[in-house]
Amino acid sequence: MPITPVGHWETKIMKKIIFGTDSRNQIKAGVDTVCDVVKVSLGKYGKNVLIYNGTSTQVINDGVSIAQAVNVADETQQAGIQLAKQCANQTNEDAGDGTTTTLVLLQAVLKEIISDIQVGNPREIREKMFEEARETLAKIKVSQIKGKKDVYNLAYTSSLDEQVATLVSEIYHELGKDAQVSIEETAMDILAKEIVHGMKVETKRADHMLAPLEETLIYEDVDVMVVERSESVEDIQTQVSHAVARGKNTLIVIANSFSPQVLMTFANTRGFEIIPLEYKMFKDIEDVKDFVGIEAVGKVVIEPEFTTLIGGKGDVAVKVQGLRERMKKEESFYTKEELEHRISSLLGRVAIIKVGKATDVARQEAVLKVEDALGAVKGAYKEGYTIGGGLALKNAATGQSEGFARICAAPYEQICANAGKAIDIPKEVVDSFATLKHALMNAISTGTSILTAEAALIEIEDKD
């Protein structure tokens, strides 16, 4: 096996070069390793996986977390493992769920096509498979969320937790599809929701060295000033004068940055409280300004890391309409997500899910369940939902090539394998169409990329 040295002599980093079938088979072995570990967690009858990292132990059934923990000593197989992880992570980013399904499909793709390279053109095989995928997805019957029960079914299928599903369905029933939801971990043993009709932004007290904030502060009917940069003492003085004239005794200033001169002025103010809050998100501070509107706000809750503005009086209708028009034209998933977040913040739809358990391991598992449930519901609001349990792909692939039909049947077959028998899928078991789509397309993309690789350069460290 040829070895080519790279880098300088101290680190002795080398690259192992492997060609053709040997390369693909070793990478496939790595993919199989991570997929074999993760797929046991798929479905209602899926099992947990114990993960020990040298200092702590977790017992979980979250696909992406299990995959991240899989590593082996063989560098070439590890390369396959990393490809599988990237594939799963991509689906998680695209749809917020579906990582285990992605890996089951990826393993099935490689199983079907790894030997085809001997008799076919890899790029033609790749294009044929994408064509069959598009045809299959087009045949899937997709429904739109119509009510609380649909949200519950989606959240439960994803999390397999009745309490999580109930909580998520209540939030979306109350706040609608544009609801902005955040997860707050706590040391208390609790799973509860808090609905805040306001705007919650990440902040930190700018003069914390002089006035450390260790507990939550609540202010009623105060003046709020929102600027990008607070550098002028005169501007602050003018705002204070306006506040005093309206009978206020507190001014909260939110800005991306403050000049030292302004902060010293705040520290030396007597008889009127000025609280400088550094806006930590570094974007869209105009949204905060638009939400606040005129200076008086009904209630402000200041925590060490967040500020919630309740009862903003700004007229946000025109801006929200403009953002929605941008969303219609935008192609980037991430930009659409950002625009959706801005719209929800401006409309004042904020739900906080407080998650706490007695131990760190239990709390992590509970948080993962909530994240999966939210991801499934958000995806279904965007692209609808369909029958779950692996049946949507299995049924829609009828009429495609035998190999592709076996790929699409893999998730259902794995669910049955985990149950130890063939099972009927109840109509209440549903999946986000976005999850299925991204899982299938990402699995094909990664699997066929491996197929086209005629050589592999694997970095290794010389142990001598």
Side-chain angles (χ1 to χ4, degrees):
M1 182 180 298
I3 300 290
T4 303
V6 297
H8 58 79
W9 64 274
E10 289 181 343
T11 56
K12 292 187 178 180
I13 300 299
M14 318 288 281
K15 275 192 169 61
K16 177 171 61 176
I17 304 175
I18 313 171
F19 294 96
T21 301
D22 188 28
S23 167
R24 288 185 290 272
N25 285 338
Q26 289 192 50
I27 290 174
K28 178 181 179 297
V31 173
D32 284 339
T33 297
V34 66
C35 292
D36 285 342
V37 175
V38 173
K39 68 185 183 184
V40 301
S41 68
L42 184 64
K44 182 178 180 179
Y45 298 95
K47 310 303 189 293
N48 288 341
V49 174
L50 185 148
I51 301 172
Y52 175 65
N53 65 6
T55 57
S56 63
T57 303
Q58 292 178 277
V59 181
I60 59 176
N61 65 353
D62 177 71
V64 71
S65 300
I66 296 169
Q68 290 300 331
V70 179
N71 296 288
V72 298
D74 183 273
E75 293 89 349
T76 310
Q77 290 189 27
Q78 183 63 29
I81 289 173
Q82 290 303 116
L83 282 171
K85 291 180 183 181
Q86 291 168 17
C87 184
N89 286 337
Q90 188 61 55
T91 299
N92 196 44
E93 290 179 14
D94 291 338
D97 193 19
T99 54
T100 304
T101 298
T102 302
L103 292 176
V104 170
L105 289 168
L106 173 61
Q107 187 174 38
V109 168
L110 285 175
K111 181 179 179 181
E112 292 297 331
I113 69 174
I114 197 70
S115 61
D116 292 350
I117 185 61
Q118 308 300 328
V119 294
N121 183 305
R123 299 195 182 281
E124 290 179 359
I125 295 170
R126 177 184 175 93
E127 288 305 313
K128 174 62 176 175
M129 189 163 287
F130 273 121
E131 180 183 348
E132 290 190 283
R134 288 189 289 268
E135 291 173 355
T136 298
L137 292 170
K139 290 193 292 184
I140 293 177
K141 182 181 178 181
V142 179
S143 302
Q144 301 302 316
I145 293 178
K146 295 179 180 178
K148 188 176 180 180
K149 185 63 176 177
D150 290 339
V151 175
Y152 176 90
N153 289 339
L154 282 157
Y156 180 74
T157 299
S158 183
S159 67
L160 298 176
D161 188 299
E162 293 182 359
Q163 191 178 2
V164 169
T166 299
L167 203 66
V168 170
S169 63
E170 288 175 350
I171 288 172
Y172 279 94
H173 179 69
E174 182 171 349
L175 301 183
K177 68 182 183 67
D178 289 326
Q180 183 64 39
V181 187
S182 61
I183 300 172
E184 187 175 293
E185 296 186 43
T186 172
M188 298 183 293
D189 190 357
I190 187 174
L191 178 63
K193 70 179 188 300
E194 177 187 1
I195 306 297
V196 178
H197 296 284
M199 177 179 282
K200 186 171 185 177
V201 296
E202 187 178 355
T203 60
K204 187 174 183 179
R205 185 151 180 161
D207 60 347
H208 63 278
M209 296 296 291
L210 299 172
L213 181 60
E214 297 178 352
E215 58 185 21
T216 299
L217 304 177
I218 300 176
Y219 294 89
E220 302 279 354
D221 193 28
V222 297
D223 265 22
V224 177
M225 179 180 179
V226 182
V227 293
E228 186 170 342
R229 290 180 177 80
S230 181
E231 299 177 346
S232 170
V233 174
E234 289 74 18
D235 289 344
I236 300 296
Q237 291 173 337
T238 299
Q239 192 68 35
V240 169
S241 298
H242 290 332
V244 171
R246 287 191 294 273
K248 316 297 180 186
N249 58 12
T250 301
L251 172 66
I252 295 170
V253 183
I254 300 176
N256 284 136
S257 63
F258 293 83
S259 70
Q261 184 182 17
V262 167
L263 290 178
M264 289 304 298
T265 301
F266 293 165
N268 294 321
T269 300
R270 298 290 181 269
F272 189 94
E273 187 173 12
I274 303 175
I275 302 175
L277 298 177
E278 185 179 341
Y279 184 56
K280 302 298 291 183
M281 298 174 75
F282 297 108
K283 59 182 178 180
D284 304 329
I285 196 168
E286 286 299 317
D287 287 356
V288 182
K289 188 173 184 179
D290 291 337
F291 177 81
V292 170
I294 61 176
E295 292 84 354
V297 171
K299 184 178 180 181
V300 179
V301 180
I302 304 176
E303 303 170 78
E305 299 294 337
F306 293 95
T307 295
T308 303
L309 306 166
I310 302 173
K313 299 177 175 62
D315 184 1
V316 301
V318 174
K319 185 160 191 177
V320 167
Q321 182 60 33
L323 292 174
R324 283 178 171 157
E325 290 299 322
R326 282 183 58 189
M327 279 188 67
K328 293 178 183 178
K329 302 175 183 178
E330 182 59 54
E331 296 182 357
S332 166
F333 173 83
Y334 301 102
T335 304
K336 283 185 176 181
E337 284 280 293
E338 181 181 342
L339 291 171
E340 182 182 10
H341 174 82
R342 291 177 63 187
I343 290 170
S344 298
S345 295
L346 284 164
L347 292 175
R349 295 171 178 163
V350 180
I352 303 169
I353 297 179
K354 296 185 177 181
V355 182
K357 292 291 182 181
T359 66
D360 290 342
V361 172
R363 183 170 64 253
Q364 283 182 314
E365 184 176 9
V367 168
L368 292 172
K369 288 179 180 292
V370 174
E371 289 177 343
D372 286 346
L374 292 174
V377 172
K378 289 178 182 178
Y381 266 118
K382 292 173 185 173
E383 300 190 46
Y385 68 89
T386 186
I387 183 173
L391 284 183
L393 285 178
K394 180 178 183 294
N395 294 343
T398 302
Q400 303 293 354
S401 66
E402 291 184 8
F404 192 82
R406 284 193 293 268
I407 291 169
C408 289
Y412 171 75
E413 297 296 337
Q414 186 60 46
I415 289 172
C416 292
N418 289 344
K421 60 181 179 179
I423 59 174
D424 294 325
I425 304 298
K427 64 179 182 179
E428 292 80 15
V429 176
V430 291
D431 283 328
S432 158
F433 177 72
T435 299
L436 294 183
K437 179 183 73 174
H438 290 295
L440 180 61
M441 300 304 271
N442 289 336
I444 293 173
S445 178
T446 299
T448 54
S449 293
I450 293 172
L451 181 70
T452 62
E454 188 59 30
L457 282 72
I458 308 297
E459 186 173 288
I460 62 174
E461 184 175 353
D462 189 352
K463 302 296 193 301
D464 297 332

